[in-house]
Amino acid sequence: MRLRGYHWRILRVNLSTGRWRVEEPGEEDLELFIGGKALAYLMAYREIPPGTDPLSPSNRLYFVTGPFSALVPGASKVTVLAKSPLTRLLNDSHAGDYFGPSLRKAGYDALVVEGASRDPVYIYIDSRTVEVRDASRIWGSTTREATRAIRRETSERASVAAIGPAGERLVRIANIIFDEERAAGRGGLGAVMGSKKLKAIAVLGDGRPPEPADPEGLRAEGEKWYNYFATSPRYGDLRTYGTTNALVYSASIGMSPSYNFETPGIPVDLAAKISGDAIKEVEVDPPWYIHGASCPIKCARYAEAEYKGRRFRVKPEYENLAMLGAATGVFDREAVLYFNRLVDDLGLDSISTGNTIAWLLELAERGLIGEEEVGFKVKGFGDAEAVERLIRLIAERRGIGAVLAEGVKRASEILGRGAELAVHVKGLEAPAWDPRGRRGFAVSYATADVGASHLRGWPPTTEPPSAGPAKEVVPGLARNRDDDALRDSLSLCRFVSYPSREIPGLYKLVTGLERSLDDLYRAPQRAEALARIHAALDWLVPPIHDDVPPKWMKGQPTGPLKGVAAFLSEEDKREAIREYYRVRGWHPTLGVPTPETMERLGIPWARGDAERALRAVEERLRAAGLEV
Ligand code: SF4
């Protein structure tokens, strides 16, 4: 029986030719890879050869929904994936609200953007038409201006994914902003759009989502869960504060990114200046689209503030407040909210931008960089003036901004200093959770296929790293990683946290197929294995690159976990990473999936690639004079 809950339509738009076509996904592909994240990895694995220049027309951009999108409450996410210009790894990021559901209502499960246009364009999609339209008038505009201009030209109800000046200038930490506020933030995917001269994609969901297998059953379940998430006290904090309250929590447990990850355990009073109730004081009602679609929790908060005579609205989130505020040492609410607004408008990843600027401030603080090189005086941490200037310079690729626009790893290489202070994994800047507060959290960062991501699952523990070997919590990390990635593949928001045991039932109501949870988990496992093989065929040497920044191997200087590092020792770190390889069925020291594992995962066609990837890693290790 053909699976229900899909349109069975993938839209491909080629910007080199201006033509589009619709193709049907393979039946086995949907069964083995479900949708969303896992399906996006499969398509990219097949279509973006290792070695592809991320900013060339050969790179592709995937917007992929899962079968729950527009059918299950809280299934608001769309996976965006391309080869990252920042890390040169396949990189997924996820945006919420109504772009994904709109794509489904326009009649598509996924959109693939291929080639590159010569002149600026945007893509318009509804249930009857697909058009590649001129965008020269809005090239150079902010994400907000572009979104509003495109809505005026198309429909006020269109969902718009746009890049700002940063993406146009190929800034490697540029992101894609959906509907003025939501970001597919990581890996510089905005620069991929910029390289294709693609200013935006507008989707009007003026049709119907696909029919589920059991509409009545799904409606009843949907109602039950909607009411639960909308009223359960368990989600009260999320409904009240969104994620804005989390800095107080991360500071209290030694996990904040304060002062470029120098002082994770800052006083709670200090964190509270840009967190929770401080943000609540300036909260205003959100515009209609923020809480659109089907979300029962509605976590998004909206604030209005004034900074240097400029009145503005913004949607603050924990990562923005923590990375643009605590990481840079700026604890001035108005300034941090303004930085948040600025990065959204310019189309910059708030995590990577905050991280990279925090690194520069630390260089200045330590006397490793001066006024001549920066172009103006930087006082160090807490210099709000400098942070604002640097954000603008990065987006404009001007002066020192042209260096920082390359991301923290390349910036340290260009300047030839500060590599030991740069907090990234595989070139992706670390987000706002210092792993020195929880046992095994650093294993998640070290082994994540995209680099330092906070969305690759955490071990199920509240213990500090000093509580015992990190290796012990690795099996739980692998399971949680599968669970998170399954939700990404179904389009479910992580906050609308259906109990895992309920997912097979919902999957059956949508698709008509009966599958166990363990069977469903194999979809993201396949995607992770393919991502790793692709990376190894490209440039990754897992025994070298599966690692954490030096700062995290030092004990915390102050706070409740004074003296505690991310691991007990170097040996503890290596053992934990090798345990991850073992749990996944990867080569025990090379960290690449074996041909037998690909067979076991039900994708024997990838055996040959796994063999080649293993040999490639061996050869690179030998060439580097390292033990194989
Ligand atoms: S909980 Fe928040 S992020 Fe998740 S779907 Fe609802 S509004 Fe969006």
Short mmCIF file of all heavy atoms in Angstrom, two decimals, residues 163-186:
data_model
loop_
_atom_site.label_atom_id
_atom_site.label_comp_id
_atom_site.label_asym_id
_atom_site.label_seq_id
_atom_site.Cartn_x
_atom_site.Cartn_y
_atom_site.Cartn_z
N ILE A 163 17.08 36.10 2.75
CA ILE A 163 18.41 36.42 3.26
C ILE A 163 18.56 37.93 3.33
O ILE A 163 17.86 38.67 2.65
CB ILE A 163 19.55 35.81 2.40
CG1 ILE A 163 19.50 36.31 0.95
CG2 ILE A 163 19.52 34.30 2.47
CD1 ILE A 163 20.75 36.00 0.16
N GLY A 164 19.52 38.35 4.14
CA GLY A 164 19.80 39.78 4.25
C GLY A 164 21.11 40.10 3.54
O GLY A 164 21.65 39.28 2.79
N PRO A 165 21.65 41.29 3.81
CA PRO A 165 22.92 41.68 3.19
C PRO A 165 24.04 40.68 3.47
O PRO A 165 24.93 40.50 2.65
CB PRO A 165 23.21 43.04 3.84
CG PRO A 165 21.87 43.56 4.27
CD PRO A 165 21.06 42.36 4.63
N ALA A 166 24.02 40.05 4.64
CA ALA A 166 25.10 39.10 4.98
C ALA A 166 25.12 37.92 4.01
O ALA A 166 26.17 37.53 3.51
CB ALA A 166 24.92 38.61 6.42
N GLY A 167 23.95 37.35 3.74
CA GLY A 167 23.89 36.23 2.80
C GLY A 167 24.29 36.65 1.40
O GLY A 167 25.00 35.93 0.69
N GLU A 168 23.87 37.84 1.00
CA GLU A 168 24.23 38.34 -0.34
C GLU A 168 25.74 38.47 -0.48
O GLU A 168 26.29 38.24 -1.54
CB GLU A 168 23.60 39.71 -0.55
CG GLU A 168 22.09 39.70 -0.63
CD GLU A 168 21.53 41.11 -0.74
OE1 GLU A 168 22.30 42.05 -1.01
OE2 GLU A 168 20.31 41.27 -0.56
N ARG A 169 26.41 38.85 0.63
CA ARG A 169 27.87 39.04 0.57
C ARG A 169 28.63 37.77 0.92
O ARG A 169 29.82 37.80 1.18
CB ARG A 169 28.26 40.17 1.52
CG ARG A 169 27.72 41.51 1.06
CD ARG A 169 28.35 42.66 1.84
NE ARG A 169 27.86 43.93 1.33
CZ ARG A 169 26.93 44.67 1.92
NH1 ARG A 169 26.39 44.27 3.05
NH2 ARG A 169 26.54 45.81 1.38
N LEU A 170 27.92 36.67 0.95
CA LEU A 170 28.53 35.36 1.16
C LEU A 170 29.26 35.25 2.50
O LEU A 170 30.30 34.58 2.62
CB LEU A 170 29.49 35.00 0.02
CG LEU A 170 28.94 35.18 -1.40
CD1 LEU A 170 29.95 34.71 -2.43
CD2 LEU A 170 27.63 34.42 -1.60
N VAL A 171 28.72 35.94 3.49
CA VAL A 171 29.26 35.81 4.85
C VAL A 171 29.03 34.37 5.30
O VAL A 171 27.91 33.85 5.19
CB VAL A 171 28.54 36.82 5.79
CG1 VAL A 171 28.87 36.54 7.25
CG2 VAL A 171 28.92 38.24 5.40
N ARG A 172 30.07 33.72 5.78
CA ARG A 172 29.97 32.29 6.07
C ARG A 172 29.14 31.98 7.31
O ARG A 172 28.90 30.81 7.62
CB ARG A 172 31.37 31.67 6.20
CG ARG A 172 32.11 31.60 4.89
CD ARG A 172 33.46 30.92 5.06
NE ARG A 172 34.33 31.23 3.95
CZ ARG A 172 34.38 30.53 2.81
NH1 ARG A 172 33.65 29.45 2.67
NH2 ARG A 172 35.19 30.89 1.85
N ILE A 173 28.74 33.01 8.04
CA ILE A 173 27.85 32.78 9.18
C ILE A 173 26.49 33.47 8.93
O ILE A 173 25.81 33.86 9.87
CB ILE A 173 28.50 33.25 10.52
CG1 ILE A 173 28.98 34.70 10.43
CG2 ILE A 173 29.65 32.34 10.89
CD1 ILE A 173 29.52 35.25 11.75
N ALA A 174 26.15 33.59 7.66
CA ALA A 174 24.84 34.18 7.31
C ALA A 174 23.75 33.11 7.42
O ALA A 174 24.00 31.94 7.12
CB ALA A 174 24.89 34.73 5.89
N ASN A 175 22.57 33.53 7.82
CA ASN A 175 21.48 32.55 7.94
C ASN A 175 20.31 32.91 7.03
O ASN A 175 20.37 33.86 6.24
CB ASN A 175 21.02 32.42 9.40
CG ASN A 175 20.37 33.68 9.92
OD1 ASN A 175 20.14 34.63 9.18
ND2 ASN A 175 20.07 33.70 11.21
N ILE A 176 19.26 32.13 7.14
CA ILE A 176 18.02 32.39 6.40
C ILE A 176 16.96 32.74 7.43
O ILE A 176 16.78 32.00 8.40
CB ILE A 176 17.57 31.14 5.61
CG1 ILE A 176 18.71 30.63 4.72
CG2 ILE A 176 16.32 31.44 4.79
CD1 ILE A 176 18.43 29.26 4.09
N ILE A 177 16.28 33.85 7.23
CA ILE A 177 15.25 34.28 8.18
C ILE A 177 13.87 34.04 7.58
O ILE A 177 13.56 34.51 6.48
CB ILE A 177 15.43 35.76 8.56
CG1 ILE A 177 16.75 35.97 9.32
CG2 ILE A 177 14.24 36.27 9.37
CD1 ILE A 177 16.76 35.49 10.75
N PHE A 178 13.06 33.32 8.32
CA PHE A 178 11.71 32.99 7.88
C PHE A 178 10.72 33.95 8.54
O PHE A 178 10.71 34.09 9.77
CB PHE A 178 11.35 31.55 8.29
CG PHE A 178 12.13 30.51 7.53
CD1 PHE A 178 13.49 30.34 7.73
CD2 PHE A 178 11.50 29.69 6.61
CE1 PHE A 178 14.22 29.40 7.03
CE2 PHE A 178 12.22 28.73 5.90
CZ PHE A 178 13.58 28.60 6.11
N ASP A 179 9.93 34.64 7.73
CA ASP A 179 8.85 35.47 8.24
C ASP A 179 9.35 36.47 9.29
O ASP A 179 8.76 36.61 10.37
CB ASP A 179 7.71 34.60 8.78
CG ASP A 179 7.21 33.67 7.69
OD1 ASP A 179 6.99 34.16 6.56
OD2 ASP A 179 7.08 32.46 7.93
N GLU A 180 10.45 37.09 8.99
CA GLU A 180 11.04 38.18 9.76
C GLU A 180 11.72 37.75 11.05
O GLU A 180 12.49 38.51 11.62
CB GLU A 180 10.00 39.28 10.08
CG GLU A 180 9.35 39.88 8.85
CD GLU A 180 8.43 41.03 9.16
OE1 GLU A 180 8.56 41.63 10.23
OE2 GLU A 180 7.59 41.35 8.31
N GLU A 181 11.42 36.59 11.57
CA GLU A 181 11.88 36.26 12.91
C GLU A 181 12.49 34.88 13.10
O GLU A 181 13.30 34.70 13.99
CB GLU A 181 10.70 36.33 13.92
CG GLU A 181 9.82 37.55 13.82
CD GLU A 181 10.53 38.79 14.29
OE1 GLU A 181 11.64 38.69 14.78
OE2 GLU A 181 9.94 39.89 14.14
N ARG A 182 12.05 33.92 12.32
CA ARG A 182 12.49 32.54 12.57
C ARG A 182 13.72 32.24 11.75
O ARG A 182 13.77 32.58 10.57
CB ARG A 182 11.38 31.55 12.16
CG ARG A 182 10.08 31.77 12.87
CD ARG A 182 10.14 31.09 14.20
NE ARG A 182 8.93 31.32 14.96
CZ ARG A 182 8.60 30.60 16.02
NH1 ARG A 182 9.36 29.62 16.42
NH2 ARG A 182 7.51 30.88 16.68
N ALA A 183 14.69 31.60 12.36
CA ALA A 183 15.95 31.40 11.64
C ALA A 183 16.26 29.94 11.40
O ALA A 183 16.08 29.10 12.28
CB ALA A 183 17.08 32.02 12.45
N ALA A 184 16.68 29.64 10.17
CA ALA A 184 17.45 28.42 9.93
C ALA A 184 18.87 28.92 10.03
O ALA A 184 19.43 29.46 9.08
CB ALA A 184 17.14 27.82 8.57
N GLY A 185 19.40 28.82 11.24
CA GLY A 185 20.52 29.66 11.59
C GLY A 185 21.91 29.15 11.29
O GLY A 185 22.81 29.94 11.05
N ARG A 186 22.09 27.84 11.33
CA ARG A 186 23.47 27.37 11.43
C ARG A 186 24.12 27.01 10.10
O ARG A 186 23.44 26.59 9.17
CB ARG A 186 23.52 26.15 12.37
CG ARG A 186 22.83 26.28 13.69
CD ARG A 186 23.35 27.27 14.72
NE ARG A 186 24.67 27.80 14.66
CZ ARG A 186 25.71 27.39 15.39
NH1 ARG A 186 25.54 26.40 16.24
NH2 ARG A 186 26.88 27.97 15.30
#
